[in-house]
Amino acid sequence: MAFVSRLLGRREPLATPGQHLQQSELRPSLPRAGRAGRPTFGSASLPPAKQQTLREVFTPTRPQRSARRLVGRQPELIRIFRAIAVDRAHVVLYGERGRGKTSLVNLVAAAARSSGYMVGRFACSFDSTFDDIVRGLACDLPASFLAVPAITDGAGEGCEAGLPIGKLQPRDIAALPGRLTGRHLLLIIDEFDRVEDPATRTRFADTIKLVSDRGAAVSFVIVGVSDSLEELLGRHPSIQRNILGMPLPLLTDAEIEEILGEGGREANIEFPRPMRAVIVSLARGMPYIAQLLGLHAAAEAAARGATVIGNQDLYAAIKRAVDEADPRLTVLYERLTKRGRDAAMRDALYGIAAGEQDKFARFVVNDQGGVLRAAGFRISQAQWEQILELGAVRPCLSAGPGAYTFADPMLPHYVLMREALEG
Ligand SMILES: Nc1ncnc2c1ncn2[C@@H]1O[C@H](COP(=O)(O)OP(=O)(O)OP(=O)(O)O)[C@@H](O)[C@H]1O
Ligand SMILES: [Mg+2]
């Protein structure tokens, strides 16, 4: 009971008390020994075909590609489409890592293509320049869209020949649709936060202004990790009205359950309600965590020939997620908790990770009459200072004073999973 009820924290219990797991129930007997005497997880002995199926169903390492497996996001999809098709606006989609931005724009791209848009996409890297990005977008457009003879002789892939040689200008993008056969061009730029050069970002803002002023048949969807539109694109008051800024929220608990329910049905593995409740409480709306634990737990169950996820499968899945977590998370957690010996700090981190948060994973820190609370959890001044000093959280200035979030979006999940195993 302690394990699941603690994990479920302040939420409505998803299982009746009798159904709650004992922590000791979740902890399996020792992992099976491998051939070399080393412990192995069940998935190691899965037949390749089954592994393949599970990896198609649960996709922690890949964005969703089709509507079939994408849970929720209908309101966002409708808003993006309305902005592009009706308002002739551009869209800036931003949010934390792993929240589902690329999955959503995959859907936008597919829907736009089937509505007759010409869609070009590009994912930026830290050193991408304006020219790299624009040429990358043009290369991604099938050459069959080229309406007029190439400006340059036979050069380039896709529709790159529709661009002039030499340094590109915003007006070259505004002119591009006139050299193509389709009605409207949709250009999707992902990972825009990675672009280090501020001048490159500013040139895209200039481009958006120019294509809007000229009424050119080009729309941009710019995607990146950020807390705000301004942080991603820079501050350009003159283009505000041409842009829909869309922060991407976490999924709801019901949607996280749906990932498990639907995935389980497709893989022919059942996630009983208490197991789903635990994963929901660890994921806290983050689709990546649901995909990761769903995959590991299903692989464990399949490896022992079971079609129902058991306690030992979920325990092994959480353990594997913790063992394979980014080593920086482990180092930070060990430093904060003095290698787990600081029980009060462990409680504080757990209290914040499981505490009250909004749909963007932000929590409030306030001091009422000398009593400090973070995410509704009472902590000491010294603890808060240490959490700040070690960079575990950061302020969310765009959300107002007192709003914070975990600096690494995976940290709260890591804290919850560590406590699930050791608490
Ligand atoms: N709506 C959804 N339904 C089911 N799974 C989803 C959904 N959105 C995202 N996922 C899953 O969550 C994980 C992260 O998704 P995605 O790569 O789209 O996020 P992202 O915001 O683009 O991340 P990053 O900032 O790292 O690029 C992937 O495993 C993906 O399959
Ligand atoms: Mg992405």
Side-chain angles (χ1 to χ4, degrees):
M1 171 106 176
F3 173 78
V4 169
S5 52
R6 189 167 182 212
L7 277 180
L8 294 179
R10 292 165 195 80
R11 294 149 183 246
E12 290 277 313
L14 290 171
T16 58
Q19 288 173 300
H20 280 151
L21 299 172
Q22 298 288 344
Q23 187 189 343
S24 55
E25 280 179 317
L26 194 72
R27 196 180 297 277
S29 50
L30 281 173
R32 286 179 292 281
R35 241 181 249 146
R38 287 175 51 207
T40 59
F41 288 112
S43 49
S45 53
L46 261 187
K50 186 73 187 171
Q51 274 189 41
Q52 175 76 11
T53 308
L54 290 180
R55 287 196 179 279
E56 272 164 25
V57 172
F58 293 109
T59 56
T61 54
R62 294 194 311 277
Q64 297 296 309
R65 286 188 188 288
S66 75
R68 193 160 67 88
R69 295 204 182 100
L70 190 102
V71 165
R73 302 307 191 202
Q74 282 306 310
E76 288 82 7
L77 189 61
I78 291 169
R79 277 184 68 203
I80 292 176
F81 238 83
R82 190 177 300 144
I84 294 167
V86 182
D87 307 335
R88 292 289 162 126
H90 307 270
V91 177
V92 176
L93 176 68
Y94 55 93
E96 265 301 355
R97 209 150 265 297
R99 201 171 279 177
K101 300 179 296 299
T102 303
S103 299
L104 176 58
V105 290
N106 282 346
L107 213 65
V108 171
R113 280 194 188 103
S114 59
S115 306
Y117 284 74
M118 300 173 287
V119 181
R121 300 184 61 169
F122 186 79
C124 304
S125 55
F126 74 97
D127 57 353
S128 296
T129 61
F130 182 76
D131 276 44
D132 295 338
I133 299 170
V134 175
R135 289 191 189 283
L137 289 165
C139 286
D140 193 48
L141 291 163
S144 56
F145 284 141
L146 275 175
V148 290
I151 295 173
T152 54
D153 268 352
E157 285 172 53
C159 290
E160 194 186 351
L163 295 169
I165 6 174
K167 203 165 158 50
L168 295 175
Q169 300 298 332
R171 63 171 180 272
D172 298 321
I173 298 185
L176 186 57
R179 303 199 175 106
L180 306 178
T181 53
R183 266 184 305 117
H184 200 101
L185 187 55
L186 179 64
L187 299 176
I188 300 178
I189 309 176
D190 202 351
E191 313 258 354
F192 196 66
D193 56 286
R194 298 188 64 197
V195 174
E196 284 181 352
D197 176 24
T200 297
R201 295 191 193 205
T202 304
R203 292 190 86 199
F204 275 101
D206 294 344
T207 306
I208 285 177
K209 175 91 174 93
L210 186 86
V211 299
S212 303
D213 288 352
R214 291 196 182 174
V218 186
S219 303
F220 281 97
V221 175
I222 295 182
V223 183
V225 175
S226 177
D227 278 345
S228 70
L229 193 163
E230 290 77 23
E231 189 184 297
L232 194 61
L233 199 58
R235 235 186 114 63
H236 305 279
S238 62
I239 56 167
Q240 296 293 333
R241 65 178 185 281
N242 304 119
I243 292 184
L244 168 71
M246 183 187 280
L248 190 64
L250 294 163
L251 294 180
T252 63
D253 286 354
E255 287 165 342
I256 294 289
E257 282 217 48
E258 201 181 323
I259 292 179
L260 302 169
E262 289 298 316
R265 251 188 297 285
E266 216 180 313
N268 207 17
I269 287 193
E270 185 193 339
F271 285 80
R273 214 167 171 218
M275 304 297 158
R276 278 185 277 150
V278 171
I279 296 178
V280 163
S281 68
L282 297 171
R284 305 215 71 195
M286 183 71 115
Y288 166 73
I289 300 291
Q291 298 282 358
L292 184 71
L293 294 178
L295 175 67
H296 290 341
E300 291 293 330
R304 62 185 180 84
T307 53
V308 180
I309 304 288
N311 304 339
Q312 67 273 49
D313 305 318
L314 187 51
Y315 182 91
I318 298 170
K319 173 140 180 31
R320 184 165 172 188
V322 165
D323 289 347
E324 293 176 0
D326 184 338
R328 281 173 300 188
L329 287 179
T330 314
V331 169
L332 179 59
Y333 186 81
E334 299 297 338
R335 281 187 72 193
L336 280 161
T337 63
K338 304 199 173 52
R339 300 197 159 274
R341 290 191 307 272
D342 186 343
M345 180 56 98
R346 270 175 59 180
D347 276 352
L349 290 174
Y350 179 84
I352 301 172
E356 293 154 8
Q357 64 172 19
D358 70 4
K359 61 184 178 174
F360 301 107
R362 298 178 300 214
F363 58 89
V364 174
V365 179
N366 55 21
D367 186 341
Q368 281 178 344
V371 176
L372 196 63
R373 287 185 193 279
F377 187 84
R378 191 172 170 167
I379 57 167
S380 73
Q381 191 67 43
Q383 282 171 333
W384 181 240
E385 275 165 19
Q386 204 191 347
I387 288 171
L388 278 175
E389 199 176 308
L390 291 186
V393 299
R394 61 178 172 81
C396 294
L397 299 174
S398 57
Y404 286 82
T405 192
F406 280 93
D408 185 321
M410 293 304 147
L411 183 58
H413 310 285
Y414 182 83
V415 168
L416 295 172
M417 291 193 289
R418 282 288 294 255
E419 281 301 318
L421 298 175
E422 302 160 14

